[in-house]
C-alpha cells in the first residue's frame, strides 16, 4: 500500500475532555499537520491546535468600508454629477438623505464578505474529502470526536503515529484514512478491510 | 459508504458558487447592450415605402433644398411632408411614364394620400420641435446623417434619451452657424468647441439645466 | 373659408373611401377599423413600451393621417414593445392654404346658449377643432366663457349625436325625408298651411327669423310656436305691464354702487352674465388700487334668494327667503322707497328681517341713480314690475338700467305659445308638426300632456342633434348639425349680430336649420352658407355692400358685426302700473309651515340639453359640489325637522360618495322620488330641485335604455307654477341613494385657508392677509426657535430666464367652474363616471373649494377657492418620488413626467393640497374614434397607473417660448394664458413670469393681499392667493 | 395540582434552558428524525394544502389586479396608500424578531435563544418575503419596479435617492439577504448531520450539496464561530435600521400623523412587539406537534412573554407621546387629526380603541406568571397583539391621510373585498413556506444544543 494512498490516521473519542487532552498531547508530541473533529465547537480545541486569531474581521471591515464608499459615491455621483435635478428644492448633494443607503450597502457587502471569506478560508465548499471514506467519521457530525494526524506531517510514520494514537486511549482502534475509497478489499489489505469491516459493527454499538 | 460526491465536485461547487456572481453581471450587460442595438432602436433599418424615394438622387445629385419639400421645418414643430402636388410639380413633366412613380400619379388622380412609413418616430410622450432646433443652429445632418447619400432613407441615431441628452447637456459640441444648417456638406471645424461656445452665446441657447428639464420634451 | 373647404374635400374623400357608406354604416366601418389587431393590441396592451402611456395617437403626425382622409387609425403601432415601431405617416395630396402643419389656428364663431349668442374663438389643429376660448372682441364674452361654452367642443365629437335621418327608427336618407316633406307640404300649400305647425326654440339667428317670416308668408295660416323650458316669460309680461311694450332690460354694473338682486343669479344665468360678472367686479377689484388701501372702494351687493347661488355666495349680504316670499319682500322695499305698492311689511315667516330690509332700502335711497335692483327670471311678473318701479323711483333708469326693444318682440311668450299649440293639437287640426330643435316631449310643462296630444298629428317631424325623447315621438327624425359644423348667425344678449361659421365638415349627416327651412319653403335645398350670406348681403349698408367681400371677410374674422347692438330706447312707467299688483296677478305668501318646491335649471347641464356631455355631468355644481345627479336640496335645519339630517355637511364630511335618504316629492297629485342633499344657507322649508336630469333618451352618458342620471323634475312642473310652488309634500321612503360629491365639508376648521376681511378692516390693515405668517415669524425669533434653520441652502430662480407663477384673486372668483372644464378640455382630462367620483377619484386638475364661515347650520359668508397645483419651490411631492417622475424645472415648474411614473402614489399622499390625480383605472378613452379627435395633440394622453396634475399648461408655455425664441424676442406678458386663466369670466387668475418686474402676476404678488396657502408647511408655493375682501353694510354687520 | 419534578427543579435553581435528560446522540436523533422520517403527518398535509389554496387565490387576485389596475382596491385621493402598505409594514415588523433573537441575543450570550433561533430566523425569512411582495403589487404595474434600481439605462436616469421608497428597496433587500445568509450559515453543520444520517440517496445528495462538505473540523469551527459572531454584529444594527427606514416612508413626509420624529424607535419597538408575538404563536403549536417541549421549554415561552410585555410598554409609550405631542404641540391640523382619531366615530375611532385594547391592555395579563406559563393564554394574547399591530399600521396610514390639511379633500378609506383577499393571500404564502421549512429542515439547531449539554466543553469527567 503506497504512502500516498494514506491521508492520515484517525482516532475516535467519546467526550470533549478526551479530545482536548488528546489534541494537547499530540501537539506536545510535535505533531502539527493534524485536525480535531467535533459535532459542535468545543471551547479551547482550536487553541490546542495552535490556531491564531482568524483574519476574517479585517476582511469584513475592509469590505464594509468598500460598501459604504460605493454606496455614498453612487448616490452622490448620480444625484449631483451625472443628472442633477432640482428635487423639491433640495440641493443636488443632499448628503444627509444618502446616509441610509450608505449604511445598508455597508452591511450588505460586509455580510457577503463574512460568509464568503469564511467559506474561502475553510476551503469550502468541499463535498469530497478523504475523511468521508471512513464510515465511522459520519458520527463526527453527531456525537463523536475525532483526532486525525495527517500523512503530510513531517513526524508522521504510519506505525509510530498509530501507536502514539493508541496511547491516547481512543474509543475503538485507530482508523487509516485512505485518499481514495477502496471499493472491494484487495487480497493483502488486512488493515483496510478490517477498517471498513469494523465500521458497521461500531455504528451499531 | 459515506463518500457521496466524486472529487471533481470540489472544483465544480467552488466554481458555481463564486462564478454565479460573474454570470449575473454578464446577463445584465447583455440586456444593456440589446436595448441599445439597432434591433431595439431601429437604427439603420430601411422601411418599404410606396415609392422608393431617393434622397441621394434628389438632394445629393439634383441638389434640391430640404425646404422645398419639408416646407414648415423652419417655423413649425413638424418639418412637413411634401403633398403629392409637390412631387407632381416636376413629375408631371419628367419621368411621366415611369412605373415607379405610378403610385404618385395615382394618388394625385384619386386624391388619396400616399402612405409612407415613418422613418424617425419618437414615442408620443416626447415632443420634438424642428423650428427651434433649426433656429438654434442644429443642422439637418446632425440628426438625419448624410441623408444626401441615402438611396433609401433610414434612421441614423438611436433616438434614445441618452442620445438627446448628449447634445442638450453640451450643445456647443453640435451647434453650427445658422446659414450652414441645411448644408449637407458641412463639416464641423477644428475649433468646434470654441465656435460652439460663441454660437451658444450668440443664439441665446439656454443653459443645460434648463434644456435638460423634463418638461422641455415631456408634457 | 378656403382651408375648410379643402378639408371638406378631404373628409368627403374619407367618406368615399369608406365605400360611400355614411351614417350608421359609416360607423360600423369605423368600428371595424377600430378592431384592427394593431388597435386592439394597443388598447389591451398591459405591457407597453417605455411607459404604458399610449403615445398620444392624436399628435400632429397622427392627425395628418386623419386629415389625409384615412380613418384607419394609423400610427397606432407606435406602442408595440420591440422591435422598434413602424408608424404610418400620411401627407396631403394638395396642401390646404393657411394650414401650417403642427401649428394651431383660431377661428371666430359664436355659440348659442339660453337664447343668446356668445362669441368664441375656436382652436383648430390642422382642421380639427380642439378647444374653445372666448372672443375678446365680443360684448357678451370679452374673452371669457362659461362651462357650456367650454364643453361645447365635446358635444361636437359626441358619438351619440344622431348620425342619420331616421323614419320610425329605420335609417333613411335625406332624399327620402325631402320627398316625404314635399308631399306633405304640397297638401298644406293648398290650404294655406292651415294644418302646419312649427315648434322651435328661441330663434336667435336673424337669418332664421327672416326665413321664418318668408315661410309664414308662403303659408299664411300656419303657426310658428316657440318654447323653451327656461324662459323669460315673466320678465316680458312685466315689461308689457310696466311700459306697454316688450323690452329687454340691460344692466350697467359699472355705474352701480349698490345692487339688490331679487332671486337674480346674474353671474351665472342671465343672458350676458359673462359681461355682467366683468362689469360687476370692475367695481370690486381691490388689486387695482395697488398699495393705496385707504382709497379703496367697492360696490355692495345684497342678494335675496331661496337656494344658494353664485351671486348669493358673492353677495356682501345674503338673505335666504323662500321664493314665494320674495314678492312681498320686494313690495316692502318698494314701500320703503316710497312707492305705493300695497303690503308694506314682509309677511309671514320672513318676519324678523325688518332690520335687513331697512338697511337695504336706506342704502338704495342713499345711492339714487347709482343703485340697481334686479329681479330674477324665476320670479313672477309682479317682482319684475316692482323692480322696474323701484329703479324708476331711484332714478336708475338710463344710468344703471337700460331698455332696448325686445329682440324678436311679440314672439317672446314661451309657455303661452306652447299652450296654444297644445290646444291646437287637442283640437286635432294639426296635420304636419315640425319640431325645430328642443325637446318638448321631455321638458314641456307636465299639465299640457303634450305627448299624448301629439299623437293625433298624422305627420310629426323632429329636427335636432339627438335622437331624443321627442324624436322617439315623431315619425321623422332629421339630424341637426353642430354649430361648429354649420353656417349661421346669431344675436348676443344685447342684440349684437354675431357670425356662426363651421370649422369642420359635418362628422355625421347633420344639416343646419337654414337648410331645412329652405326645404320647407319649397325651394331647392341651398347650403346654409348661401342663405346666411345672402341675408347679410341684403342687410348690408351701402358702404358695406360697396366692398361686400372685404366686409364679409372682416365679419368672419371678428366673428361679429361691430356696433350692431339693439339701440337703447327710453320708456316711461305706465301710470296705472300698480293695478297689476292686484289680486290674481300675484303669488300668495306661502304659509309658514308648508314646504315649497323651487325649480332651477341645472348649473352644469342646464335644461337637460347638455345631459350627454360627460364634462358637464362630472363638473361639480358650484355650491353643492354634486356631480352626476340632482337632488332635493334643503337646509340643515329643514332636514333636521324632516328627520333627514346627516352630519356630512358639517363635521368629517367626506369628498366622494354619500348614501343619502330618498324621499318622495308630492306636488298636486304628481310625485317623483329624489335623494336628499343638504345645503347650508338654503332657505328654510324650501326645497330646490335641478331641472334637466332623468333623461330617458339622452345617450350613453346622460341616460338611455333604462339607465338615467338623476330624477326628472319636469314631472312636477306645470305651466301654472313653472318656477316654484307651495304645498309640497315630502314623504321619506327609508331607502338611500349614493350621491357623488367632490366636497362636503363646508367649514375651514379655523385653518386660515381663505383669508378675508371687510373693506373697513382692509383699509385699516391692508396687510391683514400676511398677518399669521408675520406673527409666527415673530414668535420663532422670540423663542429663538430653529424652525427656520435648515441643512440645505435654497435654489436660485432669478438666474434662469423665467420664473413662472400664478396668483388667484379670491375676491373675484365666483365659483363658476369655467376653469375646471377649460382645463379638462385643454389637458385631455378623462371623465371617470359617478362611481369613481363617489370613490373620491375625480380627475379635475383644478378644483374650486367652497367654504363657509359661521356654523354649518347658519353659514354667514361663502368663499370660493380655486386650487390648481401650487408648483411649490419646496415641493413635498418631489423628494418622495423614487424615480424622478416629478421634479422641478429650472424655471420653477413642478414637472410631472407621465412616462417615468411607476405609480407609487407617494407624491399624492405627501401633497398638502391634494391636487394630484391618479389613473386608478384605464380612464382615458382610446376606443371612441371621434372622442380621440378632440384630444389636444400637445398633451400626452395618460394611461393607467400614472399620476397627473396641473402643469401650468406647460404645452402653452413651451409653444410661446419657442415662438418667441425663433422670432428672437422675449415672451410678452400675457402671451401665455393658462386654460383656466383664459376661460375665467372674473379675471380672477393671473399667470406669468415673476422675474419680469412689469408682469401682471408680479404686480398681483406684490399686493398686500397676497398670501400663500398653508404657508406654515414651508412649501413656498408659486401659486398664491389674493385675500377676499367684502364690503358689508356697517348697519347690518354690527350684530 | 402537584408540581411536576421539572417545575420543582426549576423553582429551586431558576429557569434552565438546557435540554434536560439529553445527550449528543439523543438530541441528534430527536431533531433529525423529524426531517428524515419517511411518512408525512396528515395534519401537515392538510395545513399545507390550505396554504397552497390561499396562494392560488392570491395568484388570482394579483392577476386581476394587473389586468384592471389598483383601482380595485379602496384607495382614493387623499388615501393613496392603505392595505398593501399596511401589510408591508406589518410583515416587515414581524420579520424583526427573528434576526433580533438570533443576532442580538447571540451577542448578549443569552442561552435561551438556542432552541428557538432557527424557527425565529425561518419566520423572518418568510415574513420578509411576504413583505417584499407588497411594494411590488401596490404599484399595479410591477413590471416597472426595476426603475427603482440603479442601473445605466438609456434615459440616463437614476433612482431618486432622496425618496424613502428607494431606501426601502435597499433596506429590505439587504435585510432579506443578510437574514438568509445568517440562517443558512447557522444551518450548515446541521445540514452536515442530516447528510450523514440521511438514508435515501436523494437526501444524502441534497443535504450533501447544502452542507458544502462541512466536516466539523476544529479549524473550520474556529473561523465559523468568528464569522457567525460578525454576522450577528452586522445584523443587529441592520434590524434597527430597516424598520427605521420603513418608518421614514411616513416620517419624511409632511402629512399630519406621519411627520413625526418619534416614528423610527416607535416602529422598531412595534416591530419587535409583533415579531415576538408571532414567534410565540409559532412555537406553541410546534412544541405540540413535534413533541419538543423538552427542548423549547415553558421557560422559553415565559421569557419571550416577558419581552412581549416590555415591548408592549415601548409601543404604548409611542402612542402616548404621539397623542401628547399632538395636544401640546399646538399644531392645529395635527391636533384635529388625533382628536378625530379618538372621537371620529364615522371614521377611525373604533380602530383606535381596538388598538388600545389589543396592544396596550391585553398584554397586561402577562404580568401574571400563571398566564406566561399557560400556552393557551399566551397563544391568545399573541394573536391579539398581531391583530392589534396590523390595525395600528392601518390606522397610521389611513387615518392620517384621510384628515390632512384641506378639509375640502378629506375622504375616508373603505376597503374592498380585493384589499382583504390580498392580505389573506399573503398569509397563505407564509403558512406554506413555513410548513416546508418544518418538514425539510431541522427546526432546532442541533449543533448549538449539543454545545449546551453538561460537559460539552470538557471538565465534568466521568458523567
Amino acid at each position: 500500500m503506497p504512502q500516498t494512498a494514506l491521508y492520515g490516521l484517525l482516532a475516535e473519542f467519546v467526550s470533549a475532555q478526551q479530545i482536548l487532552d488528546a489534541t494537547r498531547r499530540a501537539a506536545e508530541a510535535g505533531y502539527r499537520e493534524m485536525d480535531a473533529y467535533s459535532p459542535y465547537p468545543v471551547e479551547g480545541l482550536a487553541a490546542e491546535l495552535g490556531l491564531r486569531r482568524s483574519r476574517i474581521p479585517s476582511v469584513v471591515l475592509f469590505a464594509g468600508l468598500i460598501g459604504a464608499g460605493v454606496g455614498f459615491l453612487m448616490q452622490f455621483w448620480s444625484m449631483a454629477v451625472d443628472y442633477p435635478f432640482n428635487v423639491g428644492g433640495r440641493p443636488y448633494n443632499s448628503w444627509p438623505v444618502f446616509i441610509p443607503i450608505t449604511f445598508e450597502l455597508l452591511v450588505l457587502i460586509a455580510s457577503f464578505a463574512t460568509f464568503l471569506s469564511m467559506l474561502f478560508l475553510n476551503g469550502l465548499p468541499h463535498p469530497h474529502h478523504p475523511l468521508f471514506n471512513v464510515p465511522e467519521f459520519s458520527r463526527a457530525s453527531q456525537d463523536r470526536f475525532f483526532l486525525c494526524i495527517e500523512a503530510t506531517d513531517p513526524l508522521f510514520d504510519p506505525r509510530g503515529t498509530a501507536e502514539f494514537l493508541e496511547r491516547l486511549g481512543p474509543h475503538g482502534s485507530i482508523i487509516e484514512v485512505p485518499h481514495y475509497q477502496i471499493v472491494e478489499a484487495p487480497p493483502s489489505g488486512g488493515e483496510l478491510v478490517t477498517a471498513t469491516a469494523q465500521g458497521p459493527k461500531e455504528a451499531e454499538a | 459508504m459515506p463518500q457521496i460526491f466524486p472529487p471533481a465536485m470540489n472544483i465544480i461547487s467552488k466554481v458555481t458558487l463564486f462564478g454565479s456572481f460573474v454570470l449575473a453581471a454578464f446577463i445584465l450587460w447583455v440586456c444593456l447592450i440589446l436595448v441599445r442595438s439597432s434591433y431595439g432602436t431601429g437604427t439603420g433599418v430601411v422601411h418599404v415605402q410606396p415609392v422608393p424615394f431617393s434622397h441621394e438622387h434628389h438632394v445629393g445629385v439634383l441638389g434640391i433644398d430640404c425646404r422645398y419639400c419639408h416646407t414648415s421645418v423652419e417655423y413649425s414643430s413638424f418639418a412637413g411632408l411634401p403633398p403629392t402636388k409637390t412631387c407632381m410639380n416636376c413629375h408631371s413633366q419628367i419621368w411621366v411614364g415611369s412605373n415607379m412613380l405610378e403610385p404618385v400619379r395615382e394618388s394625385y388622380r384619386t386624391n388619396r394620400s400616399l402612405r409612407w412609413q415613418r422613418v424617425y418616430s419618437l414615442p408620443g410622450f416626447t415632443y420634438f420641435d424642428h423650428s427651434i432646433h433649426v433656429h438654434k443652429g442644429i443642422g439637418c445632418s446632425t440628426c438625419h446623417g448624410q441623408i444626401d447619400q441615402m438611396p433609401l432613407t433610414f434612421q441614423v441615431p438611436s433616438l434614445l434619451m441618452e442620445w438627446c441628452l448628449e447634445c442638450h447637456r453640451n450643445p456647443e459640441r453640435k451647434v453650427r452657424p445658422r446659414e450652414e444648417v441645411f448644408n449637407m456638406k458641412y463639416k464641423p471645424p477644428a475649433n468646434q468647441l470654441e465656435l460652439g461656445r460663441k454660437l451658444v452665446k450668440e443664439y441665446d441657447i439656454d443653459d443645460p439645466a434648463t434644456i435638460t428639464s423634463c418638461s422641455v420634451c415631456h408634457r | 373659408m378656403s382651408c375648410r373647404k379643402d378639408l371638406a374635400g378631404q373628409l368627403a374623400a374619407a367618406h368615399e373611401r369608406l365605400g360611400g357608406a355614411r351614417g350608421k354604416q359609416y360607423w360600423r366601418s369605423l368600428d371595424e377599423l377600430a378592431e384592427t389587431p394593431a388597435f386592439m393590441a394597443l388598447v389591451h396592451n398591459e405591457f407597453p413600451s417605455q411607459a404604458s402611456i399610449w403615445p398620444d395617437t392624436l399628435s400632429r403626425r397622427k392627425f395628418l393621417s386623419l386629415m389625409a382622409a384615412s380613418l384607419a387609425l394609423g400610427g397606432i403601432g407606435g406602442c408595440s414593445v420591440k422591435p422598434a415601431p413602424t408608424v404610418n405617416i400620411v401627407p396631403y395630396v394638395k396642401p390646404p392654404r393657411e394650414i401650417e402643419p403642427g401649428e394651431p389656428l383660431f377661428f371666430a364663431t359664436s355659440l348659442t346658449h339660453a337664447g343668446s349668442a356668445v362669441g368664441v374663438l375656436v382652436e383648430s389643429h390642422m382642421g380639427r377643432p380642439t378647444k374653445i376660448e372666448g372672443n375678446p372682441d365680443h360684448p357678451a364674452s370679452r374673452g371669457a366663457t362659461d362651462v357650456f361654452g367650454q364643453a361645447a367642443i365635446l358635444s361636437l365629437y359626441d358619438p351619440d349625436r344622431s348620425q342619420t335621418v331616421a323614419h320610425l327608427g329605420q335609417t333613411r336618407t335625406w332624399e327620402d325625408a325631402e320627398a316625404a316633406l314635399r308631399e306633405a307640404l304640397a297638401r298644406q300649400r293648398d290650404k294655406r298651411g292651415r294644418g302646419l305647425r312649427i315648434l322651435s326654440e328661441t330663434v336667435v339667428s336673424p337669418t332664421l327669423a327672416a326665413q321664418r317670416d318668408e315661410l309664414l308668408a308662403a303659408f299664411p295660416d300656419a303657426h310658428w310656436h316657440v318654447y323653451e323650458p327656461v324662459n323669460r316669460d315673466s320678465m316680458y309680461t312685466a315689461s308689457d305691464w310696466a311700459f306697454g311694450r316688450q323690452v329687454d332690460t340691460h344692466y350697467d354694473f359699472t355705474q352701480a354702487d349698490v345692487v339688490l338682486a331679487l332671486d337674480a343669479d346674474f353671474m351665472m344665468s342671465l343672458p350676458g352674465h359673462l359681461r355682467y360678472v366683468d362689469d360687476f367686479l370692475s367695481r370690486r377689484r381691490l388689486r387695482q388700487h395697488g398699495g393705496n388701501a385707504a382709497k379703496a372702494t367697492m360696490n355692495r351687493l345684497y342678494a335675496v334668494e331661496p337656494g344658494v347661488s353664485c351671486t348669493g355666495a358673492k353677495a356682501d349680504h345674503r338673505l335666504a327667503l323662500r321664493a314665494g316670499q320674495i314678492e312681498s319682500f320686494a313690495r316692502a322695499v318698494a314701500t320703503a322707497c316710497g312707492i305705493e305698492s300695497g303690503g308694506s311689511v314682509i309677511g309671514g315667516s320672513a318676519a324678523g328681517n325688518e332690520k335687513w330690509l331697512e338697511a337695504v332700502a336706506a342704502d338704495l335711497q342713499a345711492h339714487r341713480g347709482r343703485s340697481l335692483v334686479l329681479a330674477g327670471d324665476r320670479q313672477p311678473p309682479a317682482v319684475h314690475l316692482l323692480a322696474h318701479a323701484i329703479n324708476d323711483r331711484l332714478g336708475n333708469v338710463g344710468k344703471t338700467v337700460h331698455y332696448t326693444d325686445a329682440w324678436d318682440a311679440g314672439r317672446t311668450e314661451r309657455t303661452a305659445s306652447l299652450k296654444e299649440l297644445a290646444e291646437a293639437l287637442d283640437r286635432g287640426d294639426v296635420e304636419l308638426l315640425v319640431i325645430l330643435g328642443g325637446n318638448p316631449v321631455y321638458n314641456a310643462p307636465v299639465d299640457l300632456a303634450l305627448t299624448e296630444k301629439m299623437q293625433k298629428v298624422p305627420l310629426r317631424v323632429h329636427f335636432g342633434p339627438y335622437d331624443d325623447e321627442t324624436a322617439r315621438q315623431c315619425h321623422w327624425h332629421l339630424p341637426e348639425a353642430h354649430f361648429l359644423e354649420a353656417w349661421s348667425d346669431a344675436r348676443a344678449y344685447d342684440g349684437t349680430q354675431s357670425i356662426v361659421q363651421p370649422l369642420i365638415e359635418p362628422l355625421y349627416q347633420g344639416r343646419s336649420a337654414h337648410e331645412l327651412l329652405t326645404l320647407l319653403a319649397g325651394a331647392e335645398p341651398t347650403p346654409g352658407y348661401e342663405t346666411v350670406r345672402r341675408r347679410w348681403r341684403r342687410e348690408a349698408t351701402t358702404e358695406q355692400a360697396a366692398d361686400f367681400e372685404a366686409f364679409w371677410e372682416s365679419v368672419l374674422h371678428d366673428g361679429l358685426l361691430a356696433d350692431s347692438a339693439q339701440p337703447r330706447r327710453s320708456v316711461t312707467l305706465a301710470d296705472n302700473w300698480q293695478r297689476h299688483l292686484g289680486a290674481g296677478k300675484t303669488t300668495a305668501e306661502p304659509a309658514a309651515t308648508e314646504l315649497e318646491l323651487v325649480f332651477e335649471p341645472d348649473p352644469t347641464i342646464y335644461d337637460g340639453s347638455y345631459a350627454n356631455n360627460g364634462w358637464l355631468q362630472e363638473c361639480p355644481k358650484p355650491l353643492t359640489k354634486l356631480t352626476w345627479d340632482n337632488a332635493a336640496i334643503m337646509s340643515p335645519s329643514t332636514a333636521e325637522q324632516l328627520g333627514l339630517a346627516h352630519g356630512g355637511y358639517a363635521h368629517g364630511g367626506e369628498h366622494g360618495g354619500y348614501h343619502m335618504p330618498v324621499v318622495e316629492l308630492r306636488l298636486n297629485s304628481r310625485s317623483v322620488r329624489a335623494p336628499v342633499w343638504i345645503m347650508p344657507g338654503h332657505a328654510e322649508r324650501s326645497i330646490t330641485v335641478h331641472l334637466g336630469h332623468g333623461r330617458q333618451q339622452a345617450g350613453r352618458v346622460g341616460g338611455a335604455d333604462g339607465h338615467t342620471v338623476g330624477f326628472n323634475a319636469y314631472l312636477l312642473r306645470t305651466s301654472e307654477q313653472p318656477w316654484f310652488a307651495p304645498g309640497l309634500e315630502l314623504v321619506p321612503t327609508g331607502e338611500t341613494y349614493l350621491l357623488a360629491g367632490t366636497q362636503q365639508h363646508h367649514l375651514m376648521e379655523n385653518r386660515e385657508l381663505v383669508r378675508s376681511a371687510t373693506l373697513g378692516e382692509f383699509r385699516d390693515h391692508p396687510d391683514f392677509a400676511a398677518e399669521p405668517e408675520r406673527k409666527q415669524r415673530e414668535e420663532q425669533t422670540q423663542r429663538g426657535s430653529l424652525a427656520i434653520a435648515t441643512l440645505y441652502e435654497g435654489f436660485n430662480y432669478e438666474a434662469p430666464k423665467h420664473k413662472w407663477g400664478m396668483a388667484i384673486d379670491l375676491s373675484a372668483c365666483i365659483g363658476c367652474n369655467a376653469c375646471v372644464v377649460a382645463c379638462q378640455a385643454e389637458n385631455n382630462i378623462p371623465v371617470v363616471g359617478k362611481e369613481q367620483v363617489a370613490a373620491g377619484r375625480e380627475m379635475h386638475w383644478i378644483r374650486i373649494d367652497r367654504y363657509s364661515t359661521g356654523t354649518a347650520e347658519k353659514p354667514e359668508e361663502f368663499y370660493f377657492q380655486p386650487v390648481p397645483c401650487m408648483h411649490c419651490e419646496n415641493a413635498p411631492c418631489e423628494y418622495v418620488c423614487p424615480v424622478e417622475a416629478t421634479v422641478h424645472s429650472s424655471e420653477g415648474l413642478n414637472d410631472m413626467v407621465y412616462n417615468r411614473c411607476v405609480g407609487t402614489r407617494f407624491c399624492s399622499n405627501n401633497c398638502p393640497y391634494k391636487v394630484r390625480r391618479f389613473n386608478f383605472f384605464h380612464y382615458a378613452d382610446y376606443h371612441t374614434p371621434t372622442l380621440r379627435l378632440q384630444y389636444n395633440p400637445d398633451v400626452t394622453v395618460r394611461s393607467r397607473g400614472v399620476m397627473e396634475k396641473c402643469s401650468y399648461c406647460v404645452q402653452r408655455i413651451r409653444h410661446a417660448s419657442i415662438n418667441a425664441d425663433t422670432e428672437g424676442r422675449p415672451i410678452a406678458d400675457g402671451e401665455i394664458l393658462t386654460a383656466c386663466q383664459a376661460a375665467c369670466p372674473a379675471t380672477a387668475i393671473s399667470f406669468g413670469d415673476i422675474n419680469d418686474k412689469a408682469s401682471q402676476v408680479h404686480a398681483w404678488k406684490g399686493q398686500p393681499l397676497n398670501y400663500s396657502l398653508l404657508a406654515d408647511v414651508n412649501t413656498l408655493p408659486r401659486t398664491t392667493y389674493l385675500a377676499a375682501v367684502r364690503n358689508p353694510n356697517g348697519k347690518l354687520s354690527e350684530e | 395540582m402537584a408540581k411536576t419534578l421539572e417545575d420543582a427543579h426549576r423553582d429551586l435553581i431558576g429557569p434552565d434552558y438546557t435540554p434536560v435528560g439529553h445527550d449528543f446522540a439523543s438530541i441528534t436523533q430527536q431533531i433529525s428524525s423529524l426531517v428524515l422520517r419517511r411518512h408525512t403527518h396528515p395534519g401537515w398535509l392538510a395545513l399545507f394544502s390550505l396554504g397552497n389554496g390561499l396562494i392560488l387565490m392570491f395568484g388570482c387576485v394579483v392577476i386581476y389586479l394587473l389586468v384592471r389596475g389598483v383601482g380595485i382596491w379602496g384607495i382614493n385621493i387623499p388615501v393613496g396608500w392603505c392595505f398593501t402598505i399596511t401589510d408591508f409594514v406589518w410583515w416587515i415588523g414581524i420579520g424583526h424578531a427573528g434576526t433580533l433573537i438570533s443576532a442580538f441575543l447571540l451577542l448578549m450570550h443569552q442561552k435561551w435563544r438556542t432552541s428557538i433561533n432557527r424557527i425565529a430566523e425561518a419566520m423572518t425569512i418568510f415574513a420578509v418575503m411576504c413583505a417584499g411582495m407588497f411594494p411590488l403589487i401596490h404599484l399595479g404595474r410591477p413590471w416597472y419596479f426595476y426603475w427603482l434600481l440603479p442601473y445605466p439605462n438609456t434615459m440616463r436616469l437614476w433612482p431618486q435617492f432622496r425618496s424613502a421608497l428607494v431606501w426601502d428597496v435597499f433596506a429590505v433587500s439587504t435585510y432579506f439577504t443578510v437574514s438568509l445568509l445568517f440562517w443558512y450559515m447557522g444551518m450548515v453543520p446541521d445540514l452536515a448531520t442530516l447528510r450523514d444520517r440521511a438514508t435515501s440517496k436523494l437526501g444524502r445528495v441534497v443535504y450533501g450539496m447544502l452542507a458544502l462538505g462541512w466536516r466539523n473540523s476544529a479549524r473550520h469551527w474556529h473561523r465559523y464561530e468568528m464569522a457567525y459572531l460578525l454576522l450577528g454584529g452586522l445584523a443587529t444594527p441592520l434590524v434597527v435600521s430597516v424598520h427605521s427606514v420603513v418608518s421614514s416612508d411616513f416620517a419624511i413626509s409632511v402629512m399630519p400623523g406621519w411627520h413625526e420624529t418619534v416614528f423610527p424607535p416607535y416602529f422598531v419597538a412595534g416591530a419587535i412587539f409583533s415579531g415576538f408575538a408571532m414567534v410565540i404563536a409559532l412555537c406553541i403549536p410546534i412544541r405540540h406537534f413535534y413533541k419538543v417541549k423538552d427542548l423549547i421549554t415553558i421557560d422559553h415561552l415565559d421569557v419571550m412573554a416577558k419581552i412581549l410585555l416590555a415591548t408592549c410598554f415601548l409601543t404604548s409609550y409611542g402612542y402616548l407621546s404621539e397623542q401628547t405631542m399632538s395636544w401640546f404641540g399646538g399644531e392645529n391640523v395635527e391636533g384635529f387629526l388625533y382628536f378625530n382619531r379618538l372621537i371620529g366615530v364615522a371614521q377611525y375611532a373604533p380602530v383606535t380603541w381596538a388598538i388600545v385594547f389589543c396592544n396596550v391592555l391585553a398584554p397586561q395579563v402577562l404580568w401574571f406568571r400563571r398566564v406566561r406559563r399557560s400556552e393557551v393564554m399566551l397563544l391568545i394574547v399573541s394573536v391579539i397583539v398581531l391583530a392589534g399591530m396590523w390595525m395600528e399600521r392601518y390606522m397610521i396610514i389611513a387615518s392620517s391621510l384621510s384628515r390632512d390639511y384641506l378639509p375640502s379633500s378629506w375622504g375616508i378609506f373603505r376597503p374592498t373585498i380585493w384589499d382583504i383577499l390580498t392580505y389573506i393571500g399573503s398569509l397563505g404564502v407564509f403558512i406554506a413556506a413555513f410548513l416546508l421549512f418544518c418538514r425539510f429542515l431541522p427546526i432546532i439547531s442541533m449543533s448549538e444544543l449539543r454545545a449546551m449539554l453538561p460537559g460539552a466543553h470538557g471538565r465534568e469527567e466521568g458523567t
Side-chain angles (χ1 to χ4, degrees), chain A residues 17 34-36 40 82 122 141, chain D residues 196 217-219 223 456 459:
Chain A
Q17 193 56 53
M34 62 176 173
D35 202 345
Y40 60 90
D82 185 44
N122 285 349
S141 67
Chain D
D196 295 344
S217 142
R219 302 171 185 280
R223 303 196 183 88
R459 319 291 156 255

Side-chain angles (χ1 to χ4, degrees), chain C residues 461-713:
Chain C
V461 179
H462 175 258
F463 172 77
Y466 289 91
D467 182 6
D468 55 18
E469 293 85 345
T470 307
R472 297 298 167 103
Q473 296 299 330
C474 296
H475 301 97
W476 284 92
H477 167 64
L478 311 176
E480 180 181 5
H482 191 268
F483 79 92
L484 291 171
E485 297 173 329
W487 283 97
S488 181
D489 50 10
R491 282 183 172 269
Y493 78 107
D494 63 352
T496 305
Q497 298 201 33
S498 323
I499 200 74
V500 179
Q501 55 177 325
L503 278 86
I504 190 168
E505 181 81 347
L507 293 168
Y508 318 133
Q509 289 183 13
R511 293 192 186 178
S512 72
H514 304 298
E515 291 164 335
L516 182 66
L517 267 150
T518 50
L519 177 61
L520 293 180
E524 276 309 300
T526 39
Y529 179 68
E530 298 308 327
T531 321
V532 175
R533 204 177 131 94
R534 205 180 302 126
R535 176 187 157 275
W536 278 74
R537 186 186 285 281
R538 203 166 58 232
E539 302 281 311
T541 62
T542 45
E543 68 271 18
Q544 290 165 347
D547 183 355
F548 183 73
E549 283 312 321
F551 165 68
W552 180 243
E553 279 299 325
S554 75
V555 170
L556 294 188
H557 174 272
D558 306 346
L560 72 153
L561 175 56
D563 327 315
S564 54
Q566 293 276 83
R568 287 179 183 174
R569 146 179 303 278
S570 66
V571 290
T572 51
L573 199 59
D575 12 358
N576 61 350
W577 65 272
Q578 270 100 341
R579 72 186 161 81
H580 294 289
L581 292 179
K585 296 222 169 71
T586 63
T587 50
E589 172 90 1
T593 54
E594 75 184 323
L595 283 174
E596 168 193 71
L597 181 65
V598 182
F599 300 99
E600 185 170 293
D602 189 278
T604 63
I605 65 170
Y606 197 54
D607 61 359
S609 42
Y610 298 91
N612 206 47
N613 189 309
W615 292 352
L616 291 177
Q617 286 282 15
E618 198 154 297
C619 177
K621 321 292 176 205
L623 270 300
T624 61
K625 293 296 170 190
L626 266 182
T627 65
W628 288 103
D629 265 307
N630 56 344
I633 302 164
M634 61 186 73
S635 74
S637 48
T638 305
E640 207 73 52
Q641 295 158 18
L642 298 171
L644 300 166
H646 79 95
Y649 58 89
H651 291 289
E654 311 301 339
H655 99 120
Y658 238 89
H659 289 275
M660 297 300 289
V662 176
V663 296
E664 186 169 293
L665 302 173
R666 292 191 189 144
L667 188 60
N668 29 39
S669 77
R670 302 189 182 84
S671 75
V672 296
R673 295 161 83 83
V676 170
W677 193 254
I678 291 165
M679 181 63 213
H682 198 289
E684 300 307 322
R685 317 288 300 164
S686 174
I687 286 164
T688 302
V689 293
H690 287 151
L691 300 169
H693 290 267
R695 293 280 308 271
Q696 301 290 344
Q697 293 299 340
R700 275 170 278 185
V701 175
D705 5 301
H707 106 273
T708 61
V709 177
F711 64 91
N712 182 357

Side-chain angles (χ1 to χ4, degrees), chain C residues 227-243:
Chain C
Y227 176 70
E228 275 193 26
V230 182
N231 53 52
R232 316 194 71 189
D233 287 0
S234 50
M235 183 192 88
Y236 287 117
T237 318
S239 76
D240 259 333
W241 291 351
F243 311 114

